[in-house]
């Protein structure tokens, strides 16, 4: 059971890479456009330098941005869940953040804040906040009224109610938001790194490779980003298994 | 009856929701340790009355005294054990953790002596299920956990809103017996809402029959069957007589308003 559930995704990824390899080799794709995974792997393990560092940098920044966005989003979500007035005030701003293409302003943020990690964290955090804010709002509000009333019957404080009923009940929607935000955060970090010159993450490496017309390093940054995303999503799934053991989404069908 | 000997005293309580008069001039006294049942058809305001006693709803008129104070005071002092119609267990908490939920909040009001919750769980046949999650339990088992959660407070008053309504007849039958067992050793007064005649006749010391819309007290019945009551009671002529009396009373209460004298 355990092994089979581990084997399935590995086989899926292997099949995907196999297809990619086949496509490049049989389809006569020009080498400056797309490289086969075998070459990328060989490059990563034998010739390249600095990729582990760059991957770590990008991963750490994306994770930091996610966590900061989670905290800010939770705060916003709690306030919005508590007050319609605040919800109405905050909603248009959050939607604006959500629908504005961050690619369009990320370069301006670099100009404004300067190079390095700061603009990277700023953009990635900003774009992830709305997802967490909306998820917390609906999650916190969806608490079972009967459970809330049980707590009211002993005069539990709103903090106690938040901590013991509302927050655990919001976890499923927070996890859904986290899944969505992982890709967003990685993309925002990668892209903004490319614009923030002094940074040495995957995005900066990729941007330099692009400028030098070096397909292999460029595709290696793509490859490493994908690995980061896969690690992040797997971690979320594992966390979900543990923390949402009680939730219908985590229960296996008995038949 | 003097104020000191009343667990709950309602005087002229009315409740209006906009145009709708839900409760009209309800005056009742529940004695300490008494099993008091509110019997009425759907929409007669039973839930509303229970919520008013718990201070979860404000009456439009009238006065409510619970353990010598206001309902809000009673909640602050954790004198009320609330059993809703659905078990309302927290799905992420184990049975043991759900049972302890109410002692973990508003801690300063906890009584000096704590109730042994694992003993209570064992009493209702849930020994060995302490670490189970609610979704692993049957509906009847979940409702037993909800009962234990309320009794775990050691409160002098328990308010129960049709706790067995969603259970099948066989399970309900067992639950009645379990509830009496828990209640007898707790010494608490119970206000029990139901529209089941058998439940009212089996459990209660007194039964208040409510009219429908607006809810008024049509009659109060004394159920004299001796305690401890055992399931065999339900086969006795005495029990049938009580059920019949309640049914007649309910029929009169449900008749058009003019026939109810107050
Ligand atoms: N919050 C509310 N707002 C408006 N009307 C309400 C509200 N709560 C109850 N009512 C009305 O008051 C009346 C009594 O409702 P209540 O729930 O107390 O009845 P009940 O006796 O508990 O019925 P049931 O046996 O179906 O549970 C109903 O007509 C209902 O529509
Ligand atoms: Mg009701």
């Amino acid at each position: 059971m355990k092994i089979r559930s581990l084997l399935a995704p590995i086989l899926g990824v292997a099949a995907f890479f196999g297809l990619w390899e086949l496509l490049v080799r049989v389809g006569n794709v020009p080498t400056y456009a797309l490289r086969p995974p075998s070459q990328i792997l060989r490059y990563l393990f034998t010739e390249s330098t600095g990729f582990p560092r760059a991957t770590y940098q990008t991963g750490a920044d994306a994770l930091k941005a996610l966590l900061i966005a989670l905290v800010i989003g939770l705060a916003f979500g709690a306030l919005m869940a508590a007050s319609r007035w605040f919800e109405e005030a905050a909603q248009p701003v959050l939607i604006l953040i959500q629908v504005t293409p961050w690619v369009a302003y990320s370069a301006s943020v670099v100009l404004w804040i300067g190079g390095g990690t700061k603009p990277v964290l700023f953009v990635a955090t900003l774009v992830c906040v709305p997802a967490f804010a909306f998820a917390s709002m609906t999650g916190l509000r969806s608490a079972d009224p009967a459970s809330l009333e049980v707590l009211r019957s002993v005069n539990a404080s709103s903090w106690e109610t938040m901590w013991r009923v509302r927050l655990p009940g919001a976890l499923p929607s927070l996890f859904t938001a986290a899944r969505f935000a992982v890709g967003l955060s990685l993309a925002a970090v990668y892209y903004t790194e490319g614009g923030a010159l002094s940074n040495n993450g995957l995005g900066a490496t990729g941007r330099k490779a692009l400028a030098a017309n070096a397909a292999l390093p460029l595709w290696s940054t793509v490859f490493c980003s994908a690995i980061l995303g896969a690690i992040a999503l797997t971690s979320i799934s594992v966390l979900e298994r543990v923390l949402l053991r009680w939730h219908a989404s985590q229960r296996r069908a008995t038949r | 009856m003097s104020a000191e000997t009343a667990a709950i005293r309602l005087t002229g309580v009315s409740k209006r929701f906009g145009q709708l008069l839900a409760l009209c001039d309800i005056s009742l006294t529940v004695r300490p340790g008494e099993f008091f049942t509110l019997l009425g058809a759907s929409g007669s305001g039973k839930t509303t009355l229970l919520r008013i006693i718990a201070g979860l709803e404000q009456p439009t008129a009238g006065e409510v005294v619970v353990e010598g104070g206001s309902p809000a005071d009673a909640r602050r002092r954790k004198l009320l054990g609330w059993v809703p119609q659905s078990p309302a267990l927290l799905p992420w908490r184990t049975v043991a953790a759900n049972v302890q939920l109410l002692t973990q909040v508003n801690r300063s009001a906890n009584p000096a002596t704590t109730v042994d919750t694992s003993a209570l769980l064992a009493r209702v046949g849930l020994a060995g299920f302490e670490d189970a999650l609610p979704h692993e339990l049957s509906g009847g088992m979940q409702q037993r956990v909800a009962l234990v959660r309320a009794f775990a407070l050691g409160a002098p008053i328990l308010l129960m809103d049709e706790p067995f309504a969603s259970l099948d007849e066989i399970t309900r039958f067992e639950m009645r017996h379990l509830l009496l067992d828990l209640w007898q050793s707790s010494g608490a007064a119970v206000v029990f809402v139901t529209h089941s005649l058998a439940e009212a006749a089996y459990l209660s010391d007194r039964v208040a029959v409510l009219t429908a819309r607006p809810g008024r007290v049509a009659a109060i019945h004394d159920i004299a069957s001796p305690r401890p009551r055992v399931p065999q009671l339900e086969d006795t002529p005495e029990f049938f007589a009580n059920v019949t009396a309640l049914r007649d009373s309910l029929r009169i209460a449900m008749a058009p308003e003019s026939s109810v004298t107050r």
Side-chain angles (χ1 to χ4, degrees), chain B residues 211-212 216-219 249 251-262:
Chain B
T211 63
R216 286 195 177 102
V217 180
S249 181
R251 200 172 289 145
I252 296 169
M254 303 245 307
E257 183 140 345
S258 55
S259 68
V260 179
T261 48
R262 47 169 306 256

Side-chain angles (χ1 to χ4, degrees), chain A residues 185-251:
Chain A
S185 171
L186 263 178
V189 165
Y190 184 98
Y191 191 83
T192 313
E193 274 176 350
L197 299 169
S198 60
N199 193 286
N200 46 17
L202 287 173
T205 313
R207 184 69 62 97
K208 282 174 210 149
L210 192 65
N213 239 331
L216 213 43
L218 179 64
W219 274 97
S220 298
T221 64
V222 175
F223 189 84
C224 291
S225 306
I227 301 256
L228 279 176
I231 292 173
L233 285 184
T234 311
S235 318
I236 289 177
S237 292
V238 170
L239 257 181
E240 219 170 17
R241 279 277 158 78
V242 178
L243 290 178
L244 297 189
R245 201 163 63 90
W246 53 273
H247 195 248
S249 65
Q250 299 305 308
R251 273 179 241 153

Side-chain angles (χ1 to χ4, degrees), chain A residues 149 152 154-155 160 246, chain B residues 51 75-76 91 93 106:
Chain A
E149 208 149 80
R152 270 183 76 198
V154 291
N155 218 44
E160 285 169 330
W246 53 273
Chain B
R51 290 170 53 83
R75 282 193 287 127
R76 256 191 295 279
R93 283 188 165 233
N106 185 10

Side-chain angles (χ1 to χ4, degrees), chain B residues 16-237:
Chain B
R16 195 176 269 289
F17 293 108
Q19 287 299 302
L20 179 102
L21 185 60
L23 292 170
C24 180
D25 195 20
I26 304 264
S27 294
L28 284 175
T29 302
V30 179
R31 301 169 193 137
E34 179 180 33
F35 203 112
F36 190 93
T37 295
L38 295 171
L39 179 68
S42 188
S44 54
K46 305 181 295 294
T47 298
T48 305
L49 190 56
L50 209 61
R51 290 170 53 83
I52 286 175
I53 294 171
L56 299 171
E57 197 92 69
Q58 293 307 311
T60 315
E63 194 196 14
V64 184
V65 179
V66 178
E67 289 290 318
S70 69
D73 265 342
R75 282 193 287 127
R76 256 191 295 279
R77 292 161 59 205
K78 289 178 111 170
L79 301 180
L80 302 173
W82 179 257
V83 183
Q85 187 164 345
S86 68
L89 304 178
L90 298 180
W92 52 87
R93 283 188 165 233
T94 61
V95 165
N98 260 295
V99 161
Q100 278 149 20
L101 172 69
L102 299 186
T103 49
Q104 289 169 347
V105 297
N106 185 10
R107 283 164 182 271
S108 58
N110 279 348
T113 54
T114 52
V115 177
D116 182 356
T117 52
S118 54
L120 283 186
L121 283 174
R123 283 267 285 285
V124 298
L126 286 175
F129 286 94
E130 287 85 353
D131 297 327
L133 287 171
H135 72 83
E136 295 163 334
L137 306 180
S138 72
M141 291 160 95
Q142 292 185 23
Q143 200 52 267
R144 278 182 261 166
V145 177
L147 279 182
V148 170
R149 179 181 59 195
F151 278 100
L153 283 171
I157 293 178
L158 292 160
L159 304 174
M160 308 189 178
D161 188 5
E162 304 194 43
F164 311 145
S166 59
L167 305 177
D168 61 85
E169 193 54 45
I170 300 166
T171 314
R172 292 176 75 142
F173 186 75
E174 287 167 6
M175 295 292 285
R176 277 173 220 162
H177 191 63
L178 275 177
L179 171 57
L180 280 194
D181 186 39
L182 288 176
W183 166 69
Q184 249 145 7
S185 49
S186 77
V190 174
V191 180
F192 187 88
V193 163
T194 186
H195 49 230
S196 155
L197 299 167
E199 243 166 52
Y202 184 78
L203 294 168
S204 321
D205 292 318
R206 288 191 301 152
V207 181
V209 178
L210 297 186
T211 63
R213 233 162 294 170
R216 286 195 177 102
V217 180
I220 294 188
H221 292 256
D222 279 302
I223 307 290
S225 309
R227 294 191 189 270
R229 294 182 187 165
V230 290
Q232 287 76 8
L233 172 68
E234 301 202 14
D235 303 321
T236 62

Side-chain angles (χ1 to χ4, degrees), chain A residues 156-196:
Chain A
S157 67
S158 39
W159 173 248
E160 285 169 330
T161 309
M162 177 62 113
W163 185 244
R164 303 212 183 249
V165 179
R166 290 189 185 273
L167 203 54
L171 277 181
S173 48
L174 282 175
F175 268 109
T176 309
R179 279 226 158 76
F180 171 73
V182 159
L184 213 54
S185 171
L186 263 178
V189 165
Y190 184 98
Y191 191 83
T192 313
E193 274 176 350

